[in-house]
């Protein structure tokens, strides 16, 4: 007795060596072999690229496997399914018939299924008197059993490669982050090294990282970065060991990592002799008693004339915008990191932070670490214990003292020194030089 379950013509298809190889593999399957079809299907999905299968082809394979009633597939059992194209399209979530035929061919080419053509090219099953299937024509899924171990090995290799790729990407990320932090710390702490060269080397290595490439390419770049990481780390550790010895031998016992400036500048800016770490109520009160108005640009430039050296073309600084641009040039020149500069701007405001940079730049030869000193002032600003007025006035006093010691314009220096003191203590009428009066330019004040 013959029963047609479905009738779908195959048409004429060429026989290839790949088809013959798949059939040979299927014939070689051991009768005792057994495979869990969905576990093998998962391995095939993981090894899809290595097998040359497409996503659509795997969707069709999923549908084909669903037409076999058993989950466990045995080597000695009948492993042919014969669904029609309409049934396959429905279970494969819908696709054009031409697409279906194209991806069925992919499954055959990859050796995942074997075509079992009937004499008339249609898919059907012939049953005997007892209802048992005697002969079936359609798709043979025996390669799922015959190649189960091969698919498993391929899948494990793909998973291992993905894991190795993820690990090398993590190495790159961690190494890049650590190098940037160490360079930042080296600059801020004043560690003697050619940090410009280190940054250039870092950028050159990072610039080699492609968007997509084999794992081996990323491995080579990671090794270069790790070599630079070791070099920078050794520089910092050597510096720390040296400074620990120096700190033990110094008379004040101060640790090198405090990054405080010399006491001369501290006393000149009005902060010397106080506990900079904690501060007290008097610190806050003194800051609150200072003038609330902004410092005139002319006063700042008079106190910090070195900023004029940073102007391109030797021109002057005519407004705050040009002053801020000069501060942006002074910051990297002193080795102040972008993070320290950004933190200062957030705590003080952009203009006040720029004035602070100018004051530090004016006396950078007296400061051990410009970056560390800026961070110290930023912390005081966050606590409301810092103002740029005392720093600028201290620089003005130092300038006038220097003029007085040389014997030039001694009388004028005494007058302007007194004036500078009055600016800090009061906002009353000032007796100053014409140039300084024009710089102050305080609208609304009595002259």
């Amino acid at each position: 007795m013959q029963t047609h379950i479905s009738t779908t013509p195959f048409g004429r298809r060429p026989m290839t060596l790949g088809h013959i190889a798949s059939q040979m593999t299927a014939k070689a399957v051991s009768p005792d072999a057994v495979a869990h079809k969905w576990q093998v299907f998962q391995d095939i999905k993981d090894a899809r690229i290595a097998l040359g299968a497409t996503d659509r082809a795997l969707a069709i394979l999923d549908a084909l496997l669903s037409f076999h009633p058993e989950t466990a597939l045995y080597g000695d059992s009948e492993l042919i399914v014969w669904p029609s194209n309409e049934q396959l399209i429905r279970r494969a979530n819908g696709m054009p018939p031409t697409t279906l035929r194209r991806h069925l061919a992919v499954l055959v080419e990859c050796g995942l299924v074997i075509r079992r053509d009937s004499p008339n090219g249609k898919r059907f099953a012939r049953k005997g008197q007892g209802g048992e299937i005697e002969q079936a024509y359609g798709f043979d899924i025996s390669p799922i059993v015959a190649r189960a171990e091969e698919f498993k090995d391929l899948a494990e290799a793909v998973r291992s490669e993905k894991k190795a790729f993820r690990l090398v990407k993590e190495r790159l990320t961690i190494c890049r982050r650590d190098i940037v932090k160490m360079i930042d710390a080296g600059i801020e702490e004043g560690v003697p090294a050619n940090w410009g060269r280190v940054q250039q080397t870092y950028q050159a290595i990072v610039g080699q990282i492609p968007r997509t490439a084999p794992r081996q390419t990323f491995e080579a770049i990671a090794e270069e970065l790790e070599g630079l990481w070791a070099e920078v780390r050794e520089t910092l550790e050597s510096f720390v060991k040296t400074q620990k010895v120096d700190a033990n031998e110094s008379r004040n016992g101060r640790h090198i990592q405090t990054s405080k400036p010399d006491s001369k500048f501290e006393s000149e800016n009005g902060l010397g002799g106080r506990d900079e770490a904690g501060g007290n109520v008097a610190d806050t009160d003194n800051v609150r008693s200072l003038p609330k108005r902004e410092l005139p640009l002319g006063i700042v430039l008079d106190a910090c004339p070195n900023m004029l050296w940073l102007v391109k073309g030797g021109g002057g600084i005519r407004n705050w915008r040009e002053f801020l641009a000069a501060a942006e040039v002074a910051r990297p020149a002193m080795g102040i990191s972008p993070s320290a500069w950004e933190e200062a701007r957030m705590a003080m405001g952009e203009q006040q932070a720029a004035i602070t940079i100018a004051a530090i730049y004016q006396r950078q030869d007296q400061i051990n670490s410009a970056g560390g000193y800026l961070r110290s002032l930023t912390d005081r600003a966050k606590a409301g214990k810092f103002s740029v007025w005392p720093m600028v006035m201290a620089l003005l006093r130092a300038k006038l003292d220097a003029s007085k010691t040389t014997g030039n314009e001694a009388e004028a220096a005494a007058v302007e020194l007194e004036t500078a003191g009055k600016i800090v203590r009061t906002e009353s009428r000032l007796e100053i030089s014409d140039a300084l009066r024009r710089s102050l330019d305080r609208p609304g004040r009595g002259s």
Side-chain angles (χ1 to χ4, degrees):
M1 185 176 94
Q2 179 175 313
T3 303
H4 289 277
I5 306 301
S6 68
T7 57
T8 300
F10 279 104
R12 293 185 177 181
R13 303 178 186 86
M15 177 68 71
T16 66
L17 292 178
H19 298 164
I20 296 175
S22 298
Q23 294 175 7
M24 292 175 61
T25 302
K27 289 179 180 179
V29 61
S30 170
D32 298 330
V34 59
H36 190 295
K37 67 180 180 181
W38 298 123
Q39 180 60 57
V40 178
F41 179 68
Q42 183 60 51
D43 291 338
I44 292 172
K45 284 172 61 178
D46 290 343
R48 173 181 62 83
I49 296 177
L51 291 169
T54 62
D55 291 333
R56 289 289 188 91
L58 292 186
I60 297 171
L61 179 61
D62 188 6
L64 285 173
L65 292 176
S66 69
F67 282 102
H68 195 285
E70 302 297 332
T71 299
L73 304 180
Y74 296 92
D76 59 351
S77 61
E78 185 64 45
L79 297 176
I80 297 177
V81 293
W82 53 92
S84 66
N85 282 355
E86 290 75 14
Q87 290 174 313
L88 278 175
I89 289 172
R90 189 161 51 248
R91 290 202 185 183
N93 300 321
M95 65 178 63
T98 55
T99 304
L100 174 69
R101 288 193 292 271
R102 185 170 65 253
H103 291 290
L104 278 171
V106 171
L107 290 177
V108 175
E109 290 293 337
C110 293
L112 298 175
V113 298
I114 300 172
R115 294 184 187 274
R116 300 296 185 187
D117 292 346
S118 67
N120 61 6
K122 296 182 179 181
R123 303 172 202 157
F124 65 89
R126 183 181 294 112
K127 294 184 179 180
Q129 294 293 333
E132 296 180 354
I133 296 176
E134 293 181 344
Q135 185 68 44
Y137 298 98
F139 293 103
D140 187 350
I141 59 174
S142 58
I144 299 299
V145 180
R147 301 178 63 188
E149 288 299 319
E150 177 190 346
F151 296 146
K152 181 179 179 181
D153 293 341
L154 278 174
E156 288 179 352
V158 170
R159 293 177 196 126
S160 298
E161 181 64 20
K162 285 184 177 180
K163 181 179 179 181
F165 198 89
R166 185 181 70 253
L167 291 176
V168 72
K169 283 293 193 72
E170 290 177 359
R171 283 171 57 196
L172 281 171
T173 300
I174 294 173
C175 200
R176 291 176 66 177
R177 180 191 64 198
D178 288 352
I179 290 175
V180 170
K181 286 184 177 181
M182 287 192 295
I183 292 175
D184 195 13
I187 292 174
E188 290 184 11
E189 299 293 342
V191 178
N194 190 345
W195 295 113
R197 182 194 63 79
V198 174
Q199 288 177 321
Q200 289 176 357
T201 303
Y202 170 75
Q203 292 298 336
I205 297 174
V206 172
Q208 301 175 28
I209 301 177
R211 281 192 170 185
T212 57
R215 174 179 55 84
Q216 290 76 10
T217 300
F218 290 99
E219 290 277 3
I221 297 174
E223 289 179 4
E224 284 191 67
L225 273 180
E226 287 170 349
L228 180 61
W229 180 93
E231 179 183 338
V232 176
R233 183 75 178 184
E234 183 180 358
T235 300
L236 295 180
E237 289 180 350
S238 298
F239 180 75
V240 170
K241 291 177 182 178
T242 302
Q243 296 308 313
K244 283 183 177 180
V245 174
D246 292 345
N248 292 333
E249 294 176 353
S250 65
R251 58 185 177 85
N252 55 14
R254 184 175 60 185
H255 195 278
I256 189 63
Q257 292 182 343
T258 59
S259 297
K260 301 297 183 182
D262 292 342
S263 59
K264 179 179 179 181
F265 191 61
E266 291 178 1
S267 63
E268 286 182 352
N269 66 27
L271 303 180
R274 295 180 182 173
D275 183 4
E276 292 196 15
N280 50 44
V281 178
D283 291 334
T284 306
D285 291 342
N286 287 340
V287 171
R288 289 174 180 171
S289 67
L290 293 171
K292 302 304 178 186
R293 68 182 184 279
E294 299 291 340
L295 269 165
L297 179 58
I299 288 289
V300 176
L301 291 176
D302 196 29
C304 308
N306 289 355
M307 293 293 285
L308 298 172
W309 301 347
L310 304 174
V311 180
K312 292 183 178 180
I317 296 177
R318 296 163 294 183
N319 50 52
W320 283 112
R321 181 176 58 82
E322 293 179 353
F323 183 81
L324 293 174
E328 289 284 0
V329 176
R331 175 194 63 76
M334 295 186 291
I336 295 176
S337 66
S339 61
W341 170 233
E342 182 62 25
E343 190 176 353
R345 290 197 299 179
M346 294 292 293
M348 305 177 188
E350 191 170 40
Q351 186 171 310
Q352 302 299 311
I355 294 174
T356 305
I357 289 288
I360 296 174
Y361 186 69
Q362 187 66 29
R363 287 296 182 85
Q364 60 176 319
D365 59 330
Q366 300 178 10
I367 300 175
N368 292 334
S369 171
Y373 187 55
L374 179 62
R375 286 195 184 276
S376 174
L377 297 181
T378 299
D379 292 339
R380 296 180 68 83
K382 290 178 181 178
K385 300 174 183 178
F386 172 72
S387 170
V388 295
W389 277 86
M391 296 182 71
V392 174
M393 293 305 109
L395 290 170
L396 283 174
R397 284 197 299 272
K399 182 179 178 181
L400 294 172
D401 286 342
S403 177
K404 183 176 180 180
T405 56
T406 59
N408 297 327
E409 300 178 358
E411 184 177 351
V415 172
E416 292 196 6
L417 177 59
E418 180 63 23
T419 298
K422 288 181 180 179
I423 292 175
V424 180
R425 295 190 297 270
T426 69
E427 295 185 69
S428 61
R429 180 180 179 186
L430 303 176
E431 293 295 331
I432 60 179
S433 67
D434 292 339
L436 196 54
R437 182 183 293 109
R438 287 194 300 271
S439 298
L440 283 170
D441 189 23
R442 296 184 295 151
R445 298 287 180 185
S447 59

